[in-house]
Amino acid sequence: MAKARQKSKAKPSSTKNKLTESQIAVHWKEEEYLRPSKKFIAQANLADPAFVKKFDEKHFPECFDLYASLLDWDKPWRKTLDSSNPPFWKWFVGGKLNACYNCVDRHLAKYKNKAALIFVPEPESEPAAVITYQELYKRVNEVAAMLRDFAGLKTGDRVTIHMPMIPELPITMLACARLGIVHSVVFGGFSGEACGLRAADSGSRVLIYADGYHRNGKWVDHKASADIAVHTATKEGQPIEKVLIWQRYPGRFTSDAPVVANRDFFVNDVLKNYRGQTVEPVSQDAEAPLFLMYTSGTTGKPKGCQHRTGGYLAYVTGTAKYYQDIHPEDVYWCMADIGWITGHSYIVYGPMALGATSVLYEGVPQYPDAGRPWRIAERLDVNIFHTSPTAIRMLRKAGFHEPKIYNYHFKHMTTVGEPIEPEVWKWYYEVVGKSQAVIVDTWWQTETGGFLCTTKPALDPMKPGSAGPAALGIYPVIWDEEGKEVKAGSGHAGNICIRNPWPGIMQTIWGDPQRFVTQYYKKYNKNPKSKNWRDWPYYAADGAMLPADGYYRILGRVDDVINVAGHRLGTKEVESACLTIGEIAEAAVVPAVDEVKGRVPVVYISLKPGVPSTKAIQDKVISTIETMIGKIARPKTIHIVPDMPKTRSGKIMRRVLAAISNHMDTGDITTLANPDIVEQIRELVQGRNATPLKEGPEDIKRFGEEA
Ligand code: WT7
């Protein structure tokens, strides 16, 4: 087995972003490589080094024709990339296609009787439901007919979908895609208010809901959130005409919320009028938007990442095929939620464009016990598995030996969303994968559509804790704050950027092209007038290191975003929610390291003069955050402090609070307007007998720097 070539040199460094390899190695040493099995290589979609060569930089951008050619086009593209108006790229110019046709219709000839989706309800007493491609075709068509003729939706309209993990969710998405309706799926764990704000931002007239669902052994009454969403959207100036409600148990309304006449409709009832109807897939321009996915950024307002039809579908199909090694014969299970980009790209669009069987699980992994995922894998004979480090950590903690009990065999496993600790990676490899499955650690973002860094499963050795080399056709670079390249093997960390455009990159931020430019392209652009794509590197807002072997190690966000259990949380959104509480004067939200979830939000608040510090205020903070954002943003702790550490210009020093919450060195605080407060807060948070200082992770050290 090859040894990692990079040897760390102990060299102390002074500045924050010049962290040496050895300093990082305190927590995370360079790991040995592992290689895929001969059996895996023999059947892999990508085992030919000649294919890799086709993506050499000299073949950019036409190399991506290899991805686009995996799809069926109504009209071929004239030009692979039009980069004449940076950074608003156009991919597969002149081409026309339909995403739903590519995910459904085109598989009928060969695979109509094959499982497209296998739905696994959370209650183990309910059997799995198989939907074949033929059945999917029928159901998608009927829903498309209903969206068009009953809801009055047409190509280009936006619709907001707030649904749990039930098959009706991908069915609704594909029905939208069939008509060119731009879907915006809001993760089920967001509140009605959060959904309403997103619906208003996207200009949706129609909301699509489910009445309820099972989660962690409980029944979630979801319809109630629709009423709040409608109310919020209306308040924002966006009236909602119709709420279409899927019943989790067709024919039975399982919510306590009222049904509003002439606004709320049960899909199951309405669909009866559309039985057997078919709808021609609308031939869409490659650049027509396919969907919006809202994500958190550095401001309080989530942004709608707008993804294009042709480039996006080509990119997720290509990456699902070559990196996840999906064949139509495979049973593929991604445990993510479709409400996040992972689910869009690698539960729905990528796998389904490839004609795979995609498993959909309603519930949480550890329900009713930590053996559940492995029972599902055994029962359905899943052979490709995909999940997040948080889920892996959780299952490892709750059931270390559980996978051994079940007779399943994965050939391939993906991890996504957060850095994975080598110990956790090794458990995933040895225990979950039974030392047989190849692992890809895929680094990417909501904005990027698909994988940016990952190993090629049959060709590149695996290295625990590293995302790996750049994906085909992606040319990353790491720059320091001054724009100087941080070279491979230098032992320093910097900001990872992608030098070139690629087909999966979002088109723009919905309704805010200026923010798109500023957020992602301004930082390292030297000439805003340049028409050359080479002057427009994509800024990912992640810290990274590159050892000499070319395997990128992602260190985490460098902006005001924290990664909670693989989900992005904007700290500004949480702070804004706190500030709606009358008693609160100031709020600051910082990340704290958590053994299972990676990072969790910790809230600091100071109260207006004369307001007593009570438990009631803390409860109010929690309920406000849950109402305005959702349960996923629930803070771990709330500290009521006498004052915030501030600069002389009055800026809250979130970096200092983050250091305190993580028992790290607070750094130089002499320049603060109120340095004495730091010790007070430290005592309040850590107690009198504080634990010794720790060398913390890079993202926490840099937290709040950008603000
Ligand atoms: C952020 C993006 C990618 C889809 C799910 C999350 C972090 C993502 C990895 C990885 C280390 C990772 C980054 C990134 N991240 N994948 N393999 N190793 N960090 O999408 O919600 O847009 O979050 O997740 O910090 O910026 P997202």
Side-chain angles (χ1 to χ4, degrees):
M1 205 171 291
K3 272 250 155 66
R5 266 160 277 164
Q6 167 77 1
K7 273 269 173 296
S8 53
K9 283 198 200 77
K11 220 194 288 162
S13 80
S14 49
T15 59
K16 271 191 296 307
N17 58 348
K18 285 200 178 142
L19 195 73
T20 65
E21 179 76 6
S22 66
Q23 279 174 306
I24 286 186
V26 171
H27 313 280
W28 208 313
K29 66 180 182 6
E30 282 296 314
E31 293 290 328
E32 288 192 353
Y33 296 104
L34 284 132
R35 292 184 186 279
S37 68
K38 289 204 173 65
K39 193 171 157 200
F40 179 83
I41 298 170
Q43 59 81 61
N45 281 329
L46 172 50
D48 180 7
F51 185 80
V52 176
K53 282 244 165 307
K54 293 180 181 168
F55 286 83
D56 280 352
E57 199 164 341
K58 63 175 187 275
H59 300 307
F60 179 85
E62 282 76 20
C63 54
F64 286 115
D65 291 358
L66 288 164
Y67 284 0
S69 64
L70 297 172
L71 305 176
D72 283 2
W73 293 77
D74 304 329
K75 191 171 161 230
W77 60 97
R78 280 192 323 277
K79 195 170 184 217
T80 304
L81 169 67
D82 173 355
S83 59
S84 61
N85 181 29
F88 300 94
W89 324 112
K90 291 197 172 92
W91 282 95
F92 308 115
V93 185
K96 293 193 122 190
L97 78 168
N98 181 276
C100 176
Y101 177 87
N102 273 281
C103 292
V104 183
D105 305 42
R106 69 166 175 158
H107 302 315
L108 295 180
K110 230 171 137 182
Y111 297 122
K112 72 167 167 230
N113 202 27
K114 186 184 118 78
L117 296 166
I118 305 180
F119 171 56
V120 181
E122 193 187 71
E124 251 177 322
S125 55
E126 275 184 45
V130 175
I131 299 173
T132 62
Y133 273 98
Q134 168 66 20
E135 170 76 3
L136 181 67
Y137 170 78
K138 286 289 185 189
R139 293 189 65 181
V140 165
N141 270 283
E142 289 167 355
V143 174
M146 177 196 70
L147 294 177
R148 186 187 61 191
D149 300 339
F150 179 74
L153 293 165
K154 52 184 193 317
T155 307
D157 287 352
R158 281 80 53 212
V159 58
T160 295
I161 306 174
H162 197 198
M163 286 176 69
M165 285 286 284
I166 56 176
E168 288 76 10
L169 173 54
I171 287 170
T172 306
M173 291 161 70
L174 291 165
C176 288
R178 193 167 192 85
L179 294 165
I181 297 164
V182 182
H183 59 70
S184 169
V185 179
V186 176
F187 171 60
F190 279 117
S191 67
E193 208 169 307
C195 175
L197 287 178
R198 286 159 176 77
D201 187 81
S202 67
S204 298
R205 293 181 286 118
V206 173
L207 297 183
I208 306 182
Y209 261 80
D211 57 351
Y213 57 100
H214 297 281
R215 191 174 166 82
N216 208 9
K218 294 193 191 78
W219 178 256
V220 180
D221 185 339
H222 191 53
K223 160 64 172 65
S225 128
D227 302 324
I228 300 168
V230 170
H231 180 75
T232 308
T234 311
K235 224 170 57 191
E236 290 283 306
Q238 177 62 49
I240 302 294
E241 291 165 14
K242 284 192 171 71
V243 181
L244 306 178
I245 303 154
W246 287 98
Q247 291 169 334
R248 170 68 176 78
Y249 296 95
R252 217 171 92 201
F253 183 47
T254 40
S255 165
D256 294 332
V259 177
V260 178
N262 298 320
R263 187 200 77 186
D264 296 351
F265 300 92
F266 293 124
V267 176
N268 313 82
D269 290 343
V270 181
L271 272 183
K272 290 182 185 135
N273 303 323
Y274 298 91
R275 185 163 297 149
Q277 289 210 13
T278 51
V279 172
E280 269 303 294
V282 175
S283 193
Q284 287 277 82
D285 196 281
E287 278 296 306
L290 178 62
F291 67 87
L292 307 180
M293 163 86 8
Y294 281 83
T295 192
S296 299
T298 46
T299 72
K301 192 171 175 256
K303 48 200 175 190
C305 296
Q306 179 182 323
H307 283 283
R308 52 172 63 79
T309 305
Y312 171 82
L313 195 63
Y315 197 70
V316 297
T317 307
T319 48
K321 174 163 182 168
Y322 297 117
Y323 292 105
Q324 300 200 283
D325 200 51
I326 295 177
H327 302 61
E329 299 75 30
D330 291 320
V331 181
Y332 167 80
W333 181 20
C334 171
M335 224 163 52
D337 195 289
I338 293 176
W340 305 108
I341 192 71
T342 303
H344 277 52
S345 300
Y346 299 112
I347 296 179
V348 181
Y349 287 112
M352 307 219 64
L354 293 169
T357 297
S358 195
V359 176
L360 217 71
Y361 174 52
E362 178 180 34
V364 300
Q366 72 284 17
Y367 182 81
D369 56 72
R372 184 69 191 279
W374 324 127
R375 283 199 289 284
I376 294 172
E378 178 186 83
R379 176 101 190 158
L380 303 179
D381 204 11
V382 172
N383 67 338
I384 308 181
F385 185 66
H386 184 166
T387 192
S388 66
T390 288
I392 303 169
R393 287 189 288 257
M394 213 160 61
L395 291 165
R396 178 176 180 258
K397 201 172 161 192
F400 195 97
H401 298 293
E402 283 292 314
K404 295 178 196 155
I405 303 171
Y406 300 97
N407 183 22
Y408 67 86
H409 295 280
F410 296 149
K411 69 164 182 178
H412 183 292
M413 303 192 298
T414 302
T415 160
V416 64
E418 316 151 67
I420 181 165
E421 300 80 359
E423 290 69 38
V424 178
W425 192 100
K426 283 176 194 159
W427 181 76
Y428 197 34
Y429 183 76
E430 285 159 16
V431 183
V432 177
K434 307 182 175 182
S435 301
Q436 296 165 340
V438 62
I439 295 182
V440 294
D441 178 349
T442 57
W443 169 69
W444 56 296
Q445 308 176 309
T446 304
E447 293 86 341
T448 76
F451 306 151
L452 293 179
C453 283
T454 160
T455 46
K456 294 173 274 300
L459 292 173
D460 302 326
M462 300 163 253
K463 183 170 148 190
S466 285
L472 294 172
I474 303 291
Y475 314 112
V477 60
I478 300 179
W479 279 308
D480 67 13
E481 283 300 313
E482 286 76 48
K484 244 184 80 206
E485 183 173 349
V486 180
K487 293 245 166 60
S490 71
H492 294 163
N495 299 315
I496 186 165
C497 299
I498 310 298
R499 288 193 285 110
N500 62 304
W502 68 98
I505 181 67
M506 67 196 277
Q507 286 178 299
T508 185
I509 293 176
W510 176 260
D512 201 348
Q514 197 45 52
R515 190 172 168 198
F516 174 66
V517 179
T518 329
Q519 190 81 54
Y520 304 106
Y521 292 95
K522 200 173 148 217
K523 187 160 175 105
Y524 290 110
N525 170 268
K526 292 192 190 87
N527 174 11
K529 293 218 164 65
S530 169
K531 296 289 174 204
N532 188 337
W533 62 260
R534 288 169 189 81
D535 292 323
W536 294 87
Y538 170 81
Y539 171 67
D542 269 322
M545 301 214 32
L546 184 60
D549 64 0
Y551 276 47
Y552 289 90
R553 184 188 297 164
I554 306 300
L555 303 170
R557 303 291 304 192
V558 297
D559 53 6
D560 289 331
V561 167
I562 59 181
N563 192 331
V564 186
H567 300 139
R568 247 158 94 165
L569 187 66
T571 51
K572 290 283 177 289
E573 285 166 57
V574 184
E575 290 172 6
S576 310
C578 295
L579 292 174
T580 62
I581 301 171
E583 293 91 334
I584 294 181
E586 287 178 309
V589 175
V590 302
V593 173
D594 182 88
E595 199 196 329
V596 171
K597 294 180 172 177
R599 303 286 177 270
V600 286
V602 170
V603 172
Y604 285 84
I605 50 171
S606 67
L607 303 172
K608 287 183 182 156
V611 177
S613 161
T614 56
K615 163 106 183 6
I617 297 268
Q618 286 175 326
D619 292 344
K620 209 161 168 184
V621 168
I622 292 178
S623 68
T624 305
I625 290 171
E626 287 191 357
T627 306
M628 293 187 71
I629 304 172
K631 285 209 173 6
I632 56 159
R634 199 189 160 100
K636 183 179 186 173
T637 0
I638 298 156
H639 299 295
I640 304 178
V641 295
D643 194 7
M644 297 285 178
K646 282 186 202 136
T647 61
R648 293 217 172 93
S649 58
K651 209 182 93 174
I652 299 177
M653 292 297 284
R654 291 174 177 77
R655 182 176 59 74
V656 172
L657 297 173
I660 292 175
S661 272
N662 293 282
H663 295 252
M664 285 157 57
D665 185 0
T666 46
D668 183 12
I669 51 165
T670 52
T671 57
L672 293 192
N674 51 352
D676 298 346
I677 198 75
V678 176
E679 208 31 56
Q680 279 184 54
I681 297 176
R682 182 196 287 286
E683 209 174 293
L684 200 126
V685 172
Q686 301 178 353
R688 245 171 238 281
N689 308 314
T691 47
L693 293 183
K694 281 188 297 195
E695 170 91 26
E698 181 77 347
D699 59 314
I700 293 189
K701 281 190 199 164
R702 287 179 58 159
F703 185 78
E705 255 178 33
E706 286 240 317

